[in-house]
Amino acid sequence: GICVDKCEKVYTPPEEAKNQETYKVAGISHRIDALETLGKKNPNFDKPEQELREKGLVGSSIWEYSFSPRKDRRGVLIPEPDNPADANAIKVVVDGRHIGYIPAESCAHVHDLLKKGRIQEIKCALGGGRKKSFTGYGDRYILESDFCPYSARLTITTMASSFFSMATLPSRGSVLNRT
């Protein structure tokens, strides 16, 4: 819910008052090290073929890093007005690590959401990287390496503009009402 100042009362908006927007994070290829720290290294990735067979991993894709969904993985958006490449840039930070930017063509809209206080939640889904495909045919096994580009996708939950306006915030400690 939304908490106003001292949180004496909390208002949780109904689901119909919320919208979700999805953005592909730009520039992650320049921040691979930060991205990989958000994943868990797969101990099977560097195992030899024999050990993979013994572990029953025939028919599996074995990713170097696991980016399993985590309910607590939240994103933070930080405007960068001093960014030399783009004064409208918005940095994307996940679990304290800068992983990229909101795409330039979406920055004006996201700046507006930030300015009006409409963003309720930011979640980030991560994926990609090096993987091995391990297949078997009878007594013959094939272990192939591949690379899938890293990706980061933000889902931003916002309040519908018709429902919530920062211009009509109630006084401290009171319940937010629909306007």
Side-chain angles (χ1 to χ4, degrees):
I2 297 174
C3 183
V4 178
D5 204 15
K6 290 199 173 189
C7 295
E8 293 168 10
K9 297 178 183 178
V10 175
Y11 174 75
T12 302
E15 287 303 312
E16 65 269 12
K18 297 178 184 179
N19 295 320
Q20 286 194 329
E21 301 175 9
T22 303
Y23 298 90
K24 181 179 179 185
V25 178
I28 62 172
S29 63
H30 302 287
R31 294 184 167 64
I32 298 299
D33 290 344
L35 194 69
E36 287 177 346
T37 65
L38 296 170
K40 181 180 177 186
K41 179 86 167 148
N42 183 345
N44 293 318
F45 186 78
D46 294 319
K47 301 267 189 227
E49 183 181 312
Q50 178 66 31
E51 283 186 52
L52 296 175
R53 267 195 315 249
E54 291 169 1
K55 288 182 169 267
L57 295 174
V58 176
S60 299
S61 289
I62 304 161
W63 292 88
E64 183 176 20
Y65 290 93
S66 169
F67 295 104
S68 299
R70 289 184 25 211
K71 291 181 192 262
D72 62 340
R73 179 161 281 148
R74 300 284 188 247
V76 177
L77 302 176
I78 303 171
E80 281 192 331
D82 297 328
N83 185 311
D86 182 358
N88 287 320
I90 301 174
K91 179 171 34 176
V92 176
V93 176
V94 176
D95 292 349
R97 290 163 186 87
H98 176 197
I99 64 164
Y101 290 89
I102 292 292
E105 65 273 9
S106 300
C107 284
H109 173 68
V110 175
H111 271 291
D112 188 54
L113 294 174
L114 288 166
K115 184 174 125 186
K116 291 180 179 176
R118 290 185 43 213
I119 296 177
Q120 284 226 300
E121 181 178 55
I122 303 166
K123 291 183 180 179
C124 187
L126 306 171
R130 293 189 319 156
K131 73 173 184 170
K132 293 180 178 177
S133 298
F134 190 41
T135 55
Y137 306 97
D139 61 351
R140 187 167 167 232
Y141 298 93
I142 300 170
L143 184 60
E144 297 176 303
S145 295
D146 197 5
F147 181 81
C148 180
Y150 284 104
S151 66
R153 195 163 295 282
L154 290 181
T155 301
I156 299 175
T157 303
T158 63
M159 292 293 295
S161 60
S162 62
F163 182 82
F164 179 73
S165 169
M166 289 300 287
T168 60
L169 274 179
S171 62
R172 184 168 133 165
S174 48
V175 175
L176 290 177
N177 292 312
R178 188 174 189 155
T179 56

